[in-house]
Amino acid sequence: MSEIPAKATESEDPSHGAEAADAAGAGRAAAAEDAFGFDAPREVPGAPGGGTLWQSSPPGSIYDYIKVASFSIGPDGHVDQWSLRAEQIFGVPAERAVGLDPIAAFISPRLRERGHRKMAEILDGREWTGVIPFRAPGEDGAEGLAEVYVMPTTTAEGERAAVCIIVDVRTLRSIETDLAASQAIFGQSPFGFLLIDADLRVRRANKRFAATFGGAPEEHRGRSVHHYLQSPEAERVLATLRRVLETGESITDMHVAGTVPGSDERRHWSVNLYRVHSGSGRPIGIAWLGTDVTSRREAAREAAAARRNLALLNEAGARIGNSLDLETTARELLDVVVPGFCDLATVDLHQGLLAGDETPPGLADGSAELRRVAFASAVSDTPFDGGPDPVDVGAVHHYPFNSPCADALRTARPRHVPAEDGGLIQSTLAVPMVAHDTVVGLAQFSRTKGSEPFGERDRALAVELAARAAVCIDNARLYRREHERALILQRSLLPPGDPEASGLDIACRYLPGSAATGRPSEVGGDWFDVIELPGHRTALVVGDVMGRGLRAAVAMGELRTAVRTLAQLDLEPAEVLSQLDEIARGLGAPAGGPSQAFGSGGVQQATRAARRPREADLSEVYLATCVYAVYDSVTRRCTFANAGHLPPVLVEPGEPALMLDVPPGMPLGVGGEPFEEVEVELPEGALLALYTDGLVESRDHPLDEGLQAFVGALTDPTQPLEDVCDHVLNTLDSHHGEDDIALLMARVQGLPAESVGDWTLPREPRSVGRAREHARAQLLAWDLEPLVDTAELLVSELVTNALRYGEGEIRLRLLLDRTLVCEVWDAGLVQPRRRRAMDTDEGGRGLQLVGLLSAAWGSRRTPRGKTVWFELPLPDGEHTLTDPAEALLSLF
């Protein structure tokens, strides 16, 4: 540059000269654009006055990165032109800068003298270059370091002037630092680094990348993606590069797969891509940063496989064994493994196991019969066996001795089954199902072609899955065996057939938990009983031992036996429950310790044992609920006593059903509280229902709701009792829980008055004769002449004993129902005792004679004394009466 435009002296605006210079520059730029095809001007961010910069693109310019400004100095040594870039560097607008002495305005005072000498030399025609620290005028002026190029020139009038070119040294230093850092990162990076230009060709590669793909870094210049990757992977990567170049969207952790020269091993790289810009913001290429993740990917696959296997085992633990049914457990195993582990699977169990054999199932040579119990396939319409004879579910079969499956059963080790040529299956594992060192069956897992073959890890997982299922199957087998035993025991203790009772029509139902719900369940301790008592009375019992399983069934049997024994003693209902409570606490005594249930300290000890289970084995603590009722068919009165059981339900003819208000009392085995009795008169035709909580309580329905539903189901007591029972069970089907159900119903049919003979005799010797007369007359009236002689003899014996050993007046009562019962009442408390008389004794043979001639005899206490009774069977052709004369002779 040799000249600069002359200063416009006519303008009043001091910046007019700068604007003229800019206008002149714009004109030259426009001319250059016409000549060379320059681009349109772009806005310079932060430029004062909204200035613009004419830029040619591509290529870019170094001036996009460094700050270069210019201004001119007039003959007087003052600024006469000031550019927009100068405004940016010094922070001084043109209107302030024009006319300033640059030395005085921007140079430190200690350097001004030297600066003025240099300015004089410049205006004298000498060039100067140097670095000058500067500070813009004003308190907030910018500070910096400028590299100055001063070139002398002359004005149009021939006067000396100068043009100054200013470069911001700080920007240059920053560029130097950035270049050095970029070079260090590019050259020393442990990752493969590429700079790809706008034509998607490699512009530069670092040593790491070259070491992977061979050659020196310079040799990779100009290559494309196709030099490193095979199609279609190369096309995918090229499409991604174009998208990054066009949109500027960065790509993070893009997975690229390929091979490297000299190796067939498939490698994997993680690549990050981002667009690179010039200083002016123009996209000039793409940075490629890649790292080899082959080993990491393999480790991730291993970890994913381990997590998948753990998840499968966790699912197996949650889903297998929820049922105690053998076939259901086998199906649960297949639900877990198909399709999560394999494509097809089967389970075969030993036939002996399913038949309930006690001996360990299977034979040593692996050729025992098996039954296919489950099959699952993720491939539709595909049989498991590729052979001509596939095995159907439920079929019994056996494997040939030399087959891999028989070998697996024989050795209890998994075996690989070879795939047939041309078949769908490519890999099969035959895994024996081993539980407690016993092979219970065989599981086969297969994968079809297209799936990954089984590996060692899969083999170990298959063994673990089969073992878990085997343990559950063996547990189901053991449970089924115990359940069947408990059920047999329980049913053997229940009344056989339909029980009969004098003055009552009886119907009953007993449903184990499995029958009530349709699901396997442990046997409970529910029981009911109908016990005939002397005097045509009947004891009705319903009880429930708390707990389940074989121990509950055994406890139920013990309590039921105790109830029958106590009932034969003809005790009052409350006394029966009190004795049962003592017995239950005796059952709950710690194992090995003596039972003191009936001792002086038994109540306290049993109560403490029941209330402090930590001091004894919990399985040894027995608690039970029970309701005990005694019905008298002559008076139609029923006496109830309750030990923590649900209240009986009574339905009188023409009245709605209601729950009787019987004090519940404490359960048996708790002790410490007496039991109360309630006596209720039952009208003819009334219906009485006793039941256990399994009928009215379940997990989904509260007890109160079940009780109301039960009461509501007893709407028509006039129907046959069997129909009433069925109606109740069908109505309460939704209320059936997992507990056992016991239901005992009785319809009142009192003994008719004409079937009862009742007389009161004074306490005098001639009452013996009167008693014989009454008995003879009544039996003849009942058309029971064959019983007259025997009845007369036994009546005279009982009345004679009452006169001799009893107290108060004597009462004789004859009852006719299914048998003939004779009762002699007196006020004495001494119970008769049968003894063997010696040959020389004159007496003592009366009770022996009663025992010989009657079907049964006994005595019981009454509120006002005692009753001695005997029973004779009715003459129906099946029972033969003993001849009284022969009986008398047999006593001597």
Side-chain angles (χ1 to χ4, degrees), residues 236-255:
R236 182 179 70 89
V237 174
L238 277 175
T240 305
L241 291 173
R242 291 190 188 97
R243 187 170 72 251
V244 172
L245 189 61
E246 293 172 0
T247 65
E249 179 184 354
S250 299
I251 300 296
T252 302
D253 196 23
M254 179 180 71
H255 283 249

Side-chain angles (χ1 to χ4, degrees), residues 150-231:
V150 184
M151 295 168 286
T153 185
T154 57
T155 67
E157 292 81 8
E159 295 180 305
R160 303 272 184 171
V163 175
C164 297
I165 305 299
I166 306 296
V167 178
D168 190 346
V169 176
R170 294 174 303 176
T171 303
L172 290 176
R173 298 294 183 266
S174 176
I175 292 175
E176 291 176 354
T177 303
D178 292 345
L179 287 175
S182 298
Q183 182 64 27
I185 294 174
F186 196 87
Q188 301 173 18
S189 172
F191 309 111
F193 213 147
L194 292 179
L195 182 60
I196 301 174
D197 60 20
D199 295 328
L200 304 183
R201 296 276 178 175
V202 176
R203 177 62 59 184
R204 188 176 179 186
N206 70 344
K207 292 181 179 180
R208 181 70 175 181
F209 185 87
T212 302
F213 288 92
E218 295 79 13
E219 298 177 11
H220 293 271
R221 185 184 299 273
R223 293 183 178 180
S224 70
V225 175
H226 286 282
H227 287 84
Y228 308 104
L229 302 174
Q230 299 292 328
S231 295

Side-chain angles (χ1 to χ4, degrees), residues 23 104 501 585 612 709:
R585 283 183 288 158
R612 291 183 296 166

Side-chain angles (χ1 to χ4, degrees), residues 121-400:
E121 293 175 357
I122 293 169
L123 293 177
D124 195 28
R126 297 178 61 181
E127 290 186 4
W128 181 81
T129 301
V131 178
I132 301 175
F134 68 88
R135 183 177 184 276
E139 295 182 359
D140 298 330
E143 295 183 355
L145 192 65
E147 187 171 346
V148 183
Y149 300 85
V150 184
M151 295 168 286
T153 185
T154 57
T155 67
E157 292 81 8
E159 295 180 305
R160 303 272 184 171
V163 175
C164 297
I165 305 299
I166 306 296
V167 178
D168 190 346
V169 176
R170 294 174 303 176
T171 303
L172 290 176
R173 298 294 183 266
S174 176
I175 292 175
E176 291 176 354
T177 303
D178 292 345
L179 287 175
S182 298
Q183 182 64 27
I185 294 174
F186 196 87
Q188 301 173 18
S189 172
F191 309 111
F193 213 147
L194 292 179
L195 182 60
I196 301 174
D197 60 20
D199 295 328
L200 304 183
R201 296 276 178 175
V202 176
R203 177 62 59 184
R204 188 176 179 186
N206 70 344
K207 292 181 179 180
R208 181 70 175 181
F209 185 87
T212 302
F213 288 92
E218 295 79 13
E219 298 177 11
H220 293 271
R221 185 184 299 273
R223 293 183 178 180
S224 70
V225 175
H226 286 282
H227 287 84
Y228 308 104
L229 302 174
Q230 299 292 328
S231 295
E233 185 76 341
E235 296 299 331
R236 182 179 70 89
V237 174
L238 277 175
T240 305
L241 291 173
R242 291 190 188 97
R243 187 170 72 251
V244 172
L245 189 61
E246 293 172 0
T247 65
E249 179 184 354
S250 299
I251 300 296
T252 302
D253 196 23
M254 179 180 71
H255 283 249
V256 177
T259 58
V260 297
S263 174
D264 294 333
E265 180 186 0
R266 188 169 179 83
R267 310 296 295 273
H268 297 269
W269 294 276
S270 173
V271 176
N272 297 328
L273 302 173
Y274 57 91
R275 192 168 68 179
V276 180
H277 304 84
S278 67
S280 61
R282 179 177 55 85
I284 61 174
I286 300 172
W288 169 302
L289 183 63
T291 180
D292 192 329
V293 294
T294 303
S295 59
R296 187 176 72 188
R297 186 181 178 88
E298 186 64 27
R301 290 183 58 188
E302 294 287 333
R307 287 194 299 270
R308 185 169 58 252
N309 292 349
L310 288 175
L312 197 64
L313 289 174
N314 183 61
E315 183 182 6
R319 297 180 60 180
I320 299 176
N322 293 325
S323 170
L324 289 173
D325 180 73
L326 301 179
E327 291 83 354
T328 302
T329 303
R331 288 193 295 269
E332 290 170 347
L333 170 63
L334 300 194
D335 290 341
V336 171
V337 300
V338 177
F341 176 70
C342 60
D343 299 317
L344 300 96
T346 64
V347 174
D348 299 324
L349 296 181
H350 281 293
Q351 179 66 7
L353 178 76
L354 297 170
D357 293 345
E358 294 294 329
T359 58
L363 300 177
D365 60 359
S367 62
E369 288 187 337
L370 298 104
R371 185 194 302 173
R372 180 146 298 173
V373 296
F375 165 75
S377 172
V379 184
S380 61
D381 301 329
T382 301
F384 182 82
D385 300 80
D389 299 321
V391 180
D392 296 328
V393 174
V396 177
H397 66 103
H398 65 85
Y399 292 105

Side-chain angles (χ1 to χ4, degrees), residues 606-626:
T607 303
R608 286 195 296 269
R611 294 177 177 174
R612 291 183 296 166
R614 294 182 181 178
E615 299 180 5
D617 184 2
L618 286 176
S619 64
E620 297 290 341
V621 176
Y622 292 92
L623 296 177
T625 63
C626 180

